[in-house]
């Protein structure tokens, strides 16, 4: 063996001489005859109806009659497109430096949150729970919480422990605020230790509510001395500063993009809270428990900023209220800055609030992205699209799709409410391309299946969970939103600002082109598109 | 008794006639309806821990492919976990649909029974499953929904079995849930029907979940020996085959500590003898095949088995040779939380890799003995599998590979260690003889990646800066799950 083999990293791949050594790919392996026969033999156990009957039923389940029956479904959710409150609370907590997300309840929920977030962000996710068991169910979870925060401090040395609750704790009526007080008395927490808490019962609300509640809890605790009368002198620092609220943002690239963009305006940014470094840290050999997050001192200073800019509305409701009412700070309530016109509106709002001007570099960047749109529009124009996801992402995406001349057809937003419906309706009906769209809230992926099978579309945009539907409907899926488990690195890109518009455009148009090529007859397989 | 051979062998353990209903000290909890026993280790509040009992029961039962699995609880219990289990089906895909009652505030206040009843009936009528399994979660358990009664009534109304799985999350760990899932089968499913015919070679496979198709990989071997798998519990299973598991002539518990109790109960209630084995690795696979012959007590089968073993071992040795040469001297740390520790140790050794340490967090004293047999007396056993210790052990032992579950993947990457997924998220089947070759090929591929060389080197402008790999005192404890 050569020297190269000893240094394994340089040794390259094994030369597989002949078939005997070849290890079949997983997709091919079970296509071998012996496995096909083995699988066929299982049918006898299934009391399976004939192939014809299966086909007929399947066809029926794809039709209008079944669609009606499907939408009459009340007690059961099939394939949910919604996560629960404390998962959002965990993400909010990860936005702050040295902060350990702590979920008061039984252990299983938090194990799910960790894997769920890990599978999307491809990063380790620290979070712990009170590990409540049957005893806690009977006697309440106070002892578990006290022991839990004490252990967590000893093991993980956090500067702040952000406590949310699972359904279990809510059902037995645990008073977390009181427990935190008891923990201080018992010496499990030093007096004054930062332990914001939020009630996050998942039988109401969604991950967005939970995100908001935890953000609210953290902001109120860290800025409890802020007053609406504090005078902000815009000329104080050399540059004006604004707070940016990303909300439940599945794209770590967004925070970096907004900071870059506003920096070009000459505006400094405090992100409340910034989970981008926490969930996208460098592979430098160090495994850090708290690799990022907004410094707590910056949060305390946040009420002194000129204004606050939420990038999402539905996951920041209470937090925005706090900023407006308690801090007395203007909140720039703009549409999510996805697409050109929404980014325009956001930049103008920031420029106005901070007394800055939009520089030529930004105008040039905008021009380049518009140029890209003109290059791609022939392929996107008139395409019927089904969209599923969380309210702000969906509203932003719809706005951009309408700008491109695509036709949003089915809009499904499981956590959406009446406000979402109104906003989506207004947006869609202001455009000829949105006139045929239908908006669905509270519905699940099984409803979406009926929608795309009865009223076909050219493209589906939404989370990985839709891949089965996309395959059945034989249309491509552009992965978008949360969670995306089965495509890599999309979450590292921004989707906001002009750069984000270009990314979205690229994903959408290239998916359409891939599909065009896949379905093209030989004579239509053009090299130039 | 089988396989009391040299210490280097993976031994097969055979259940004695007296049964192993207590399963020795091996089990942390007994097989009763309640997972709560004084000896049952409870999770530590404030320390990161793994899944709950409901999660465990779902792992054990959701692979049953033609059953509708309905989770009674608020949205998140299934909303945060569906479609992530890795158990494959050769036929129906119904088990992949996530059904939940998605309890709301109204249900929490007034009780979730009405909603559950309607949900079971809707799912039963709409999808016409072979059966409905209803999973209890913390909230309905706390408010006292009578899931058993609803299942009984709904079964009568639908004319199909409706099985309550009573493993609310707070009842304990994932292992406790595996066990409670097995208990649900024993109470409600096994023994409710008879197979159309039986043979002298009917066996159960217990605790094999067909991850990445591993059960399929094993089945042709058993076919060649004339062994018929009567019931798969539960990889690629259909409901019907579970109902007659009591008619098997033997059960094999496939490296699943938590389901030993099900095998033991099958023996004490129906006289089905059992043994514990594994299909990971050449030696283990051979021992497992021999185990069937032994427990079935058939000398002719034993002869056939020896012939097949000899032929397969020779064939696979030829395929493994180039990999074993390339993998010689490679050191690996294995951390699976302990359940599969000994079986994976053997498999990794068969690829030529040297296993320098392994996790034993969930291992029984028996397992530990077995591991020592495989690794030698001074093997390093990792009892507390936190990333700090894992990465320290990797560094100190000179290992270049960490073989562990998916949640450790990103920890390993931060520590610049090559990572092999040995849990349910992988997409490679490693069982049986050909599975070892696949495992060797995968390890070889991972280690050959130029990426790890890149990741270990500092940027060129920082040349001379010693790498601080794995050396951070602030690495947290216990976050591996
Ligand atoms: S119990 Fe509640 S908090 Fe826990 S996973 Fe289920 S929905 Fe989420
Ligand atoms: S611990 Fe309870 S509430 Fe949480 S996921 Fe498990 S069953 Fe659901």
């Amino acid at each position: 063996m050569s020297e190269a083999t000893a240094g394994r990293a340089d040794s390259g791949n094994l030369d597989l001489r002949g078939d005997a050594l070849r290890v079949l790919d997983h997709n091919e392996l079970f296509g071998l005859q012996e496995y096909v026969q083995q699988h066929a033999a299982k049918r006898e156990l299934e009391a399976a109806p004939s192939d014809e009957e299966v086909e007929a039923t399947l066809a029926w389940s794809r039709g209008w009659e079944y669609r009606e029956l499907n939408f009459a479904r009340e007690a059961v959710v099939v394939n949910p497109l919604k996560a629960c409150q404390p998962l959002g609370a965990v993400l909010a907590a990860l936005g702050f430096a040295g902060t350990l997300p702590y979920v008061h309840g039984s252990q299983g929920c938090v194990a799910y949150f960790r894997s769920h977030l890990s599978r999307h962000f491809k990063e380790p996710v620290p979070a712990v729970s009170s590990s409540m068991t049957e005893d806690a169910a009977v006697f309440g979870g106070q002892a578990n919480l006290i022991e839990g925060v004490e252990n967590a401090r000893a093991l993980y040395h956090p500067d702040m422990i952000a406590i949310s609750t699972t359904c279990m704790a809510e059902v037995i009526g645990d008073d977390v605020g009181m427990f935190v007080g008891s923990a201080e008395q018992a010496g499990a927490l030093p007096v004054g230790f930062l332990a914001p808490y939020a009630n996050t019962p998942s039988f109401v609300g969604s991950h967005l509510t939970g995100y908001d509640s935890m953000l609210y809890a953290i902001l109120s605790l860290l800025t409890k001395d802020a007053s609406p009368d504090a005078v902000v002198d815009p000329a104080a620092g050399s540059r004006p500063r604004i707070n940016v609220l990303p909300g439940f943002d599945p794209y770590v690239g967004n925070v970096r993009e907004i900071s870059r963009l506003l920096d070009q305006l000459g505006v400094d940014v405090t992100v409340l809270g910034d989970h981008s470094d926490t969930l996208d840290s460098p592979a430098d050999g160090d495994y850090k428990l708290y690799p990022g997050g907004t410094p707590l001192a910056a949060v305390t200073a946040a009420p002194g900023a000129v204004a606050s800019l939420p990038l999402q509305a539905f996951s920041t409701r209470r937090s925005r209220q706090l900023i407006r009412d308690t801090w007395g700070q203007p909140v720039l309530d703009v549409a999510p800055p996805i697409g050109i016109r929404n980014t325009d509106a956001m930049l103008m709002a920031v420029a106005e609030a901070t007394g800055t001007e939009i520089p030529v570099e930004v105008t040039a960047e905008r021009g380049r992205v518009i140029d890209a749109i003109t290059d791609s529009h022939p392929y996107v124009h008139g395409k019927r699209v089904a969209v599923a996801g969380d309210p702000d992402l969906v509203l932003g995406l719809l706005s951009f799709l309408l700008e491109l001349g695509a036709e949003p057809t089915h809009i499904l937003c499981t956590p959406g409410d009446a406000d979402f419906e109104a906003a989506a309706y207004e947006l869609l009906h202001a455009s000829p391309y949105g006139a045929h769209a239908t908006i669905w809230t509270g519905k699940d992926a099984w409803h979406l299946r009926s929608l795309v099978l009865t009223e076909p579309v050219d493209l589906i945009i939404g989370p990985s969970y839709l891949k089965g539907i996309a395959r059945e409907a034989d249309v491509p899926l552009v992965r978008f939103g949360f969670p995306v488990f089965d495509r890599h690195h999309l979450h590292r890109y921004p989707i906001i600002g002009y750069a984000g518009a270009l990314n979205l455009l690229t994903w959408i148009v290239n998916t359409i082109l891939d599909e065009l090529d896949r379905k093209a007859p030989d004579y239509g397989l053009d090299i130039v598109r | 008794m089988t396989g009391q051979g040299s210490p280097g062998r993976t031994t097969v353990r055979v259940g004695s006639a007296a049964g192993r209903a207590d399963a020795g000290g091996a089990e942390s909890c007994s097989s009763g309806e309640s997972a709560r026993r004084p000896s049952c280790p409870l999770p530590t509040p404030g320390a990161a821990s793994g899944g709950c009992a409901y999660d465990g029961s779902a792992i054990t039962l959701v692979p049953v492919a033609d059953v509708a699995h309905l989770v009674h609880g608020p949205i998140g219990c299934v909303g945060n976990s569906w479609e992530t289990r890795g158990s494959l089906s050769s036929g129906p895909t119904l088990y992949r649909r996530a059904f939940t009652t998605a309890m709301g505030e109204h249900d929490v206040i007034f009780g979730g029974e009405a909603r559950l009843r309607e949900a079971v009936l809707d799912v039963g009528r709409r999808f016409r499953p072979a059966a409905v399994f209803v999973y209890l979660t913390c909230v309905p358990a706390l408010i006292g929904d009578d899931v058993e009664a609803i299942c009984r009534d709904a079964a009568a109304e639908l004319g199909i079995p409706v099985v309550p799985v009573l493993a609310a999350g707070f009842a304990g760990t994932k292992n406790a849930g595996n066990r409670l899932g097995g208990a649900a089968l024993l109470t409600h499913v096994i023994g409710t029907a008879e197979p159309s015919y039986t043979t002298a070679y009917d066996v159960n496979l217990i605790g094999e979940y067909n991850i990445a198709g591993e059960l399929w990989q094993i089945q042709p071997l058993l076919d060649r020996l004339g062994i018929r798998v009567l019931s798969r519990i539960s990889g690629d299973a259909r409901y019907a085959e579970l109902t007659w598991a009591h008619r098997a002539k033997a059960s094999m518990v496939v490296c699943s500590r938590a389901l030993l109790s099900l095998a033991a109960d099958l023996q004490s209630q129906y006289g089905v003898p059992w043994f514990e084995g594994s299909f990971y690795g050449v030696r283990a696979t051979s021992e497992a095949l021999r185990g069937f012959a032994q427990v079935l007590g058939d000398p002719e089968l034993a002869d056939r088995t020896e012939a097949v073993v000899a032929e397969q071992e020779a064939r696979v040795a030829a395929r493994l040779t180039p990999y074993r040469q390339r993998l010689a001297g490679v050191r690996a740390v294995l951390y699976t939380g302990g359940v599969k520790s000994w079986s994976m140790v053997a498999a990794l050794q068969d690829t030529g890799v040297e296993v320098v340490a392994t996790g034993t967090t969930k291992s029984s004293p028996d397992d530990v003995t077995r591991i020592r047999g495989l690794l030698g007396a001074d093997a390093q056993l990792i009892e507390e599998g936190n990333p700090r210790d894992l990465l320290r052990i990797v560094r100190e032992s000179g290992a270049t590979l960490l073989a562990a579950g998916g949640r450790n993947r990103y920890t390993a990457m931060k520590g610049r260690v090559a990572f092999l997924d040995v849990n349910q998220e992988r997409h490679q089947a490693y069982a049986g003889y050909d599975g070892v070759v696949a495992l060797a090929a995968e390890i070889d591929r991972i280690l050959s990646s130029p990426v790890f060389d890149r990741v270990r080197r500092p940027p060129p402008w920082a040349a001379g800066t010693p790498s601080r790999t794995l050396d951070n005192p602030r690495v947290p404890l216990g976050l591996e799950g």
Side-chain angles (χ1 to χ4, degrees):
Chain A
M1 288 255 149
S2 70
E3 221 181 86
T5 313
R8 288 214 41 95
D10 299 316
S11 63
N13 292 333
L14 181 61
D15 171 25
L16 295 174
R17 292 139 294 167
D19 271 354
L21 286 174
R22 202 162 81 89
V23 174
L24 282 186
D25 175 83
H26 191 256
N27 275 354
E28 300 167 12
L29 176 62
F30 297 112
L32 296 180
Q33 194 53 28
E34 63 179 330
Y35 296 114
V36 173
Q37 280 164 1
Q38 175 191 316
H39 293 171
K42 284 230 71 160
R43 295 269 289 169
E44 71 184 61
L45 289 174
E46 290 162 15
S50 66
D51 286 351
E52 294 75 48
E53 204 181 329
V54 170
E55 273 310 311
T57 311
L58 204 52
W60 170 76
S61 85
R62 290 173 178 152
W64 278 94
E65 189 185 342
Y66 183 78
R67 172 170 162 170
E68 308 279 308
L69 285 170
N70 195 9
F71 277 77
R73 177 158 53 87
E74 271 175 6
V76 63
V77 169
V78 186
N79 294 356
L81 294 181
K82 181 174 144 179
C84 60
Q85 283 219 39
L87 180 130
V90 166
L91 187 68
L94 292 171
F96 296 90
T99 300
L100 182 69
Y102 183 107
V103 185
H104 180 56
S106 35
Q107 60 166 356
C109 314
V110 82
Y112 283 151
F113 307 154
R114 287 171 58 211
S115 1
H116 213 60
L117 293 167
S118 243
R119 286 171 176 144
H120 175 85
F121 289 103
K122 315 286 183 213
E123 292 282 319
V125 173
V128 299
S129 83
S130 289
S131 299
M132 281 158 67
T133 54
E134 271 173 299
D135 289 339
V138 178
F139 303 113
Q142 170 155 322
N144 290 67
L145 186 122
I146 294 176
E147 194 189 337
V149 291
E150 188 165 24
N151 286 339
R153 280 190 57 238
L155 289 169
Y156 309 119
H157 315 290
D159 299 326
M160 177 158 91
I161 297 180
I163 307 172
S164 52
T165 52
T166 72
C167 299
M168 175 177 180
E170 292 295 329
V171 167
I172 62 180
D174 275 2
D175 184 343
V176 176
M178 195 191 85
F179 294 177
V180 170
S182 311
E184 284 188 0
Q185 275 163 25
L189 284 180
V191 175
F193 186 86
L194 296 172
Y197 60 90
N199 292 95
T200 49
S202 290
F203 37 85
V204 292
S206 69
H207 52 297
L208 307 173
T209 331
Y211 180 93
D212 189 23
S213 297
M214 182 49 80
L215 181 63
Y216 174 89
I218 293 172
L219 295 184
S220 8
L221 180 69
L222 292 177
T223 63
K224 56 181 184 300
D225 301 327
S227 115
D229 309 324
V231 187
V232 179
D233 177 4
S238 50
R239 304 196 336 160
R241 173 172 292 275
I242 67 164
N243 304 313
V244 169
L245 282 67
F248 188 99
D249 191 344
Y251 292 89
V252 294
N254 280 350
V255 163
R256 293 172 189 150
E257 177 58 18
I258 192 79
S259 304
R260 185 191 69 88
L261 206 50
L262 298 192
D263 176 64
Q264 290 188 305
L265 268 69
V267 174
D268 286 336
V269 165
T270 298
V271 182
L272 305 171
D274 183 356
H275 56 254
S276 64
D277 286 345
T278 319
L279 292 169
D280 187 18
S281 67
D284 58 4
D286 278 349
Y287 173 42
K288 302 183 191 72
L289 181 50
Y290 310 111
T294 307
L296 303 187
V299 182
T300 307
V306 176
S308 280
L309 171 69
L311 302 180
Q312 293 189 354
F314 290 84
S315 59
T316 58
R317 274 186 173 136
R318 289 181 70 199
S319 308
R320 283 183 289 133
Q321 208 174 1
L322 170 88
I323 293 170
R324 197 175 275 127
D325 299 349
T326 311
W327 298 2
Q329 189 179 89
V331 174
L332 310 178
D333 281 321
V334 295
I338 297 175
I340 302 298
R341 59 180 167 182
N342 284 3
T343 303
D344 293 348
M346 180 273 290
L347 286 179
M348 288 192 295
V350 172
E352 192 189 328
T354 55
T356 52
E357 278 181 13
I358 298 168
V360 288
E361 292 81 12
V362 172
T363 310
E365 182 182 332
R366 177 181 186 276
R368 285 193 294 272
V369 177
I370 288 182
D371 182 61
I373 289 175
T374 59
D375 295 343
S376 302
H377 83 273
Y379 294 99
V380 186
H381 188 133
K383 286 286 181 298
R384 290 162 56 89
V385 186
V387 175
D390 291 342
D392 292 292
L393 292 178
V394 166
L395 286 173
L397 179 67
L398 285 179
S399 167
F400 187 42
L401 288 173
L402 294 171
E403 284 185 283
L404 295 174
E407 294 181 14
T409 304
H410 312 293
I411 291 102
L412 188 112
C413 177
T414 310
D417 56 9
D419 288 350
F420 169 81
E421 285 177 14
Y425 184 88
E426 195 185 327
L427 185 62
L428 291 161
H429 284 262
S431 160
Y433 300 104
H436 310 293
T438 50
I439 303 159
W440 304 94
T441 54
K443 299 297 178 199
D444 55 43
W446 196 250
H447 293 115
L448 186 67
R449 173 184 179 272
S450 277
L451 294 174
V452 299
L453 292 174
T454 47
E455 297 176 88
V457 293
D458 300 302
L459 190 68
I460 302 177
I461 306 183
S464 295
Y465 284 133
L466 305 181
K467 73 194 282 182
I469 295 171
R471 173 183 277 211
E472 190 175 0
D474 194 26
V475 291
L477 170 67
V478 175
R479 269 81 177 166
F480 175 79
F482 180 85
V484 174
F485 291 157
D486 66 337
R487 289 295 181 272
H488 285 197
H489 311 314
L490 296 177
H491 71 281
R492 297 182 205 263
Y493 290 81
I495 60 162
I496 60 167
Y498 303 118
L502 182 58
N503 289 331
L504 278 174
L505 175 71
T506 308
W507 301 335
I508 291 171
V509 74
N510 284 341
T511 303
I512 292 171
L513 291 174
D514 282 346
E515 186 70 1
L516 188 62
D517 283 348
R518 195 172 72 82
K519 293 208 171 129
D522 284 349
Y523 62 78
L525 194 63
D526 292 343
I527 195 79
V528 182
R529 297 283 194 200
Chain B
M1 301 285 276
T2 317
Q4 291 170 330
S6 65
R9 297 192 114 181
T10 322
T11 51
V12 172
R13 215 171 58 186
V14 181
S16 71
R20 301 178 48 96
D22 63 358
E27 292 222 61
S28 43
C29 306
S30 90
S31 61
E33 284 292 307
S34 168
R36 203 156 145 268
R37 289 288 181 282
S39 61
C40 186
L42 293 174
T44 315
S49 50
C52 61
Y54 147 69
D55 189 40
S57 68
I59 288 168
T60 299
L61 298 179
V62 167
V64 186
D66 54 355
V67 163
H69 301 275
L70 171 64
V71 177
H72 182 39
I75 187 102
C77 306
V78 80
N80 299 326
S81 63
W82 67 286
E83 280 281 41
T84 54
R85 301 213 179 270
S87 291
L88 306 188
S89 159
S90 59
T93 53
L94 186 62
Y95 76 117
R96 294 177 62 176
R97 302 281 88 81
F99 300 107
T100 175
T101 50
M103 293 171 78
E105 200 164 22
H106 180 275
D107 308 300
V108 170
I109 295 166
F110 298 101
E113 296 185 356
R115 192 175 177 87
L116 175 61
R117 184 174 299 113
E118 199 187 325
V120 177
L121 294 178
D122 189 331
V123 167
R125 293 189 178 121
R126 188 181 297 273
F127 293 91
R128 282 191 257 152
V132 181
F133 285 7
V134 177
Y135 297 80
L136 185 63
T137 64
C138 293
V139 169
L142 285 170
I143 63 176
D145 282 357
D146 190 345
V147 172
E148 280 178 296
I150 290 164
C151 289
R152 222 171 13 245
D153 296 350
E157 206 167 330
L158 289 169
I160 56 169
V162 179
V163 177
V165 182
L166 304 178
F170 61 72
T173 59
K174 199 146 79 173
N175 269 2
N178 295 147
R179 203 163 18 249
L180 292 168
L185 291 184
L186 197 73
T187 312
H188 298 284
V189 182
I190 295 173
T192 57
E194 298 295 328
S196 54
Y197 68 99
T198 57
T199 75
Y201 302 105
D202 288 354
V203 303
N204 298 324
L205 290 180
I206 298 178
E208 163 43 67
Y209 301 129
N210 200 29
I211 302 294
E214 289 184 335
L215 177 103
W216 300 337
Q217 222 171 7
I218 297 157
Q219 193 136 338
L221 278 173
L222 301 177
D223 289 349
R224 282 194 58 188
L225 294 172
I227 293 171
R228 179 169 83 137
V229 183
L230 189 66
S231 307
R232 294 147 194 84
I233 302 174
S234 56
D236 199 20
R238 307 296 177 266
Y239 181 79
E241 67 190 277
L242 302 176
T243 61
W244 54 64
H246 60 301
R247 291 300 178 221
K249 305 297 189 295
S251 300
M252 173 178 170
V253 180
V254 186
C255 45
S256 168
R257 179 128 306 281
L259 288 175
L260 289 181
S261 57
L262 176 60
D265 289 344
L266 275 171
Q267 173 158 47
S268 58
Q269 290 186 26
Y270 300 103
V272 186
W274 60 279
F275 69 101
E276 192 189 359
S278 149
F279 290 108
Y280 290 129
V282 176
R283 294 166 296 168
T285 303
S286 298
E287 288 305 315
L289 298 181
R290 291 184 178 117
F292 284 115
Q294 167 99 39
V295 175
L296 292 169
D298 185 322
E300 204 198 315
L301 175 62
D303 291 346
R304 278 206 304 276
T305 304
E306 288 311 323
V308 168
V309 163
E311 173 208 302
Q312 293 289 325
E313 286 192 352
R315 187 181 62 85
V316 81
R319 296 191 72 198
L320 273 175
T321 303
Y323 293 108
R324 289 183 59 96
Q325 278 165 4
R326 283 167 63 93
L327 297 178
V330 170
R331 297 168 154 224
V333 169
L334 173 66
Y335 187 75
T336 67
V339 181
K340 282 190 298 235
S341 49
W342 58 265
S343 58
M344 259 301 156
V345 168
L348 289 170
Q349 288 180 331
D350 287 347
T351 67
V353 165
E354 182 189 350
V355 179
V356 288
T358 184
T360 54
T361 314
K362 295 177 204 152
S363 304
S364 67
D366 268 13
D367 291 341
V368 173
T369 312
R370 221 180 296 206
I371 290 166
R372 289 211 184 277
L374 288 161
L375 292 184
D378 45 34
Q380 192 168 1
L381 305 183
I382 311 167
E383 281 174 23
E384 167 75 61
N386 58 72
R388 176 173 59 190
D389 283 354
L390 272 185
L391 296 181
R392 181 180 49 76
I393 289 163
V394 167
R395 186 186 64 233
E396 287 173 2
S397 62
T400 48
L401 181 72
L402 176 66
R407 230 177 302 177
N408 277 314
R409 172 188 299 272
Y410 305 109
T411 312
M413 293 303 152
K414 296 287 178 230
R416 302 163 159 171
V417 182
F419 177 81
L420 173 76
D421 193 338
V422 292
N423 273 5
Q424 87 267 14
E425 281 167 52
R426 68 199 144 88
H427 305 286
Q428 292 290 336
Y430 298 139
Y433 296 108
D434 290 311
V436 191
V437 184
L439 179 65
E442 183 66 9
I443 295 172
D444 184 58
R445 211 171 60 86
I446 292 169
L447 291 173
S448 301
S449 166
V451 159
F452 291 101
D453 187 41
R454 160 66 58 236
V455 90
R456 282 183 201 117
R457 279 180 215 257
W461 55 88
T465 320
S467 161
R468 292 194 298 133
T469 310
L470 316 180
D471 217 2
N472 178 15
R474 286 259 297 193
V475 169
L477 291 163
L479 283 170
E480 81 304 332

